[in-house]
């Protein structure tokens, strides 16, 4: 027990660095995707990203774990999760056509709110009044950013919220997959099915890819794959209650890249709403960590 505790203590700082690096890669993925939305349809971006990423992940699996890792006993569930991934990615990339990166990122962080709310009907879990209070607080944060009814309201602001909902169901569905299945196997199918689903729509909305943009498509495939792999590894190295709050460092990266590339400065409403959503998410994470009815 003591050696395990010492090992965990030693791995915790590395786990924190790992999730921070993974989050940075995902935000870089989003920033590059936003650049590409000026010239390509969101569904084509989804398709090409996965077209490049799937062979990379498959090669890693073959070299590191062997071809047996390509097998799954949950093909139908992966097909459902793939549909959620492609819809969520399409909604988010479409949102990036109209919204600043930091604002879209902040709204996607409403996912823990949906996960908590949906865990009741989908997983039969008990959610006490404190976590319901955190859910309501999170929705207040979403409303602060979206500001329905105001002159600043735009329908595009609802797209990242839809992405958060898809992501929440995607994460919940992972509970139905055998724990023996490797993370890399889950990643492979999470990109393979979106590739298959997006193909016909991408062909129908195809824009010839400029030679200079191929590097950008490779970048989002690599950044996205690395980001997911590092975040998944971080959760294996340390308890979720320790590493999960560092997921919110994405807001720092998104704000910085948004200012550096597009000159976007977050509005006061966005900063306030993001702070409320982050507070809600951290409350939910801490309550989950206690594993006691609240």
């Amino acid at each position: 027990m003591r050696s395990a505790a010492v090992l965990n203590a030693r791995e915790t700082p590395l786990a924190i660095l790992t999730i921070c690096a993974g989050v940075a890669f995902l935000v870089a993925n989003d920033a590059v995707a936003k650049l590409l939305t000026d010239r390509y349809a969101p569904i084509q971006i989804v398709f090409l990203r996965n077209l490049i990423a799937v062979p990379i992940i498959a090669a890693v699996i073959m070299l590191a774990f062997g071809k047996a890792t390509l097998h799954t006993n949950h093909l139908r569930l992966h097909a459902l999760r793939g549909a959620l991934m492609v819809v969520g990615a399409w909604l988010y990339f479409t949102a990036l056509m109209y919204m600043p990166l930091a604002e879209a990122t902040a709204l996607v962080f409403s996912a823990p709110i949906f996960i908590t709310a949906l865990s009741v009907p989908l997983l039969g879990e008990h959610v006490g009044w404190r976590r319901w209070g955190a859910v309501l607080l999170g929705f207040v944060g979403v409303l602060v950013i979206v500001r329905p009814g105001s002159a600043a309201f735009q329908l595009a602001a609802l797209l990242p919220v839809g992405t958060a909902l898809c992501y929440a169901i995607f994460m919940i569905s992972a509970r139905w997959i055998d724990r023996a299945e490797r993370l890399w196997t889950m990643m492979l199918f999470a990109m393979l099915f979106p590739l298959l689903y997006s193909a016909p729509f991408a062909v129908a909305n195809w824009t010839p890819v400029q030679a200079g943009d191929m590097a950008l498509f490779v970048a989002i495939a690599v950044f996205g794959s690395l980001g997911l792999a590092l975040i998944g590894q971080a959760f294996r190295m340390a308890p979720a209650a320790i590493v999960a709050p560092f997921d919110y460092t994405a807001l720092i990266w998104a704000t910085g890249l948004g200012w550096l590339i597009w000159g976007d400065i977050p509005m006061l409403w966005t900063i306030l709403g993001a702070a409320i959503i982050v507070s809600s998410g951290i409350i939910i994470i801490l309550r989950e960590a206690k594993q006691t009815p609240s």
Side-chain angles (χ1 to χ4, degrees):
M1 292 292 290
R2 182 181 178 184
S3 60
V6 171
L7 180 61
N8 187 47
R10 289 177 178 174
E11 285 194 341
T12 295
L14 182 58
I16 292 172
L17 289 175
T18 300
I19 191 171
C20 287
V23 166
F25 276 120
L26 285 186
V27 175
N29 166 85
D30 296 341
V32 175
K34 182 173 175 62
L35 289 171
L36 289 170
T37 57
D38 290 338
R39 298 181 292 280
Y40 305 97
I43 196 66
Q44 184 176 349
I45 298 173
V46 173
F47 170 74
L48 287 174
R49 181 189 67 174
N50 292 327
L51 181 64
I52 298 169
V54 166
I56 294 174
I57 296 174
V60 170
I61 290 174
M62 291 289 289
L63 291 173
F65 308 107
K67 62 180 182 180
T69 308
L70 298 174
H71 174 73
T72 180
N73 293 320
H74 306 279
L75 195 61
R76 291 183 179 179
L77 184 54
H78 283 304
L80 171 61
R81 300 179 85 232
L84 292 168
M85 283 290 284
V86 73
V87 172
W90 176 79
L91 289 172
Y92 189 63
F93 289 166
T94 302
L96 291 176
M97 296 175 67
Y98 307 102
M99 297 177 62
L101 181 61
E103 186 174 337
T105 301
L107 289 171
V108 167
F109 276 116
S110 60
I113 304 166
F114 288 113
I115 291 173
T116 301
L118 292 174
S119 66
V120 177
L122 296 182
L123 297 176
E125 293 185 353
H126 169 76
V127 175
W129 67 270
R130 290 183 181 85
R131 275 184 285 172
W132 278 123
V135 168
L136 292 176
L137 178 65
F139 277 117
V140 169
V142 171
L143 292 176
V144 168
I145 296 176
V146 175
R147 284 174 292 160
S150 72
F153 171 71
Q154 55 176 331
L155 285 174
L158 299 179
L159 298 177
V161 179
T163 298
L165 178 59
C166 289
Y167 179 74
I169 301 174
F170 178 83
M171 293 301 291
I172 288 174
S173 66
R175 296 277 294 274
W176 302 328
I177 296 176
D178 188 348
R179 286 180 176 270
E181 185 153 303
R182 289 184 181 272
L183 171 66
W184 283 98
T185 307
M186 295 172 65
M187 282 181 56
L188 175 65
F189 286 101
M191 293 195 173
L192 177 59
F193 278 105
L195 170 64
L196 299 176
Y197 294 148
S198 61
F201 300 99
V203 171
N205 294 274
W206 191 261
T207 298
V209 178
Q210 301 175 23
D213 288 336
M214 278 307 303
L216 296 179
F217 281 110
V218 172
I220 61 173
V222 173
F223 290 162
S225 300
L226 277 175
L228 290 174
L230 289 172
I231 291 173
Q233 180 62 21
F235 277 93
R236 299 176 71 178
M237 296 168 65
I242 293 176
V243 297
F246 289 92
D247 201 21
Y248 292 109
T249 56
L251 292 171
I252 300 174
W253 289 106
T255 301
L257 289 176
W259 171 78
L260 185 65
I261 300 174
W262 296 279
D264 294 332
I265 299 176
M267 298 176 61
L268 179 60
W269 289 109
T270 301
I271 296 173
L272 177 59
I276 295 173
I277 291 173
V278 169
S279 299
S280 166
I282 292 176
I283 291 171
I284 290 171
I285 291 166
L286 293 177
R287 294 302 302 175
E288 291 287 348
K290 290 186 176 181
Q291 297 182 347
T292 55
S294 53

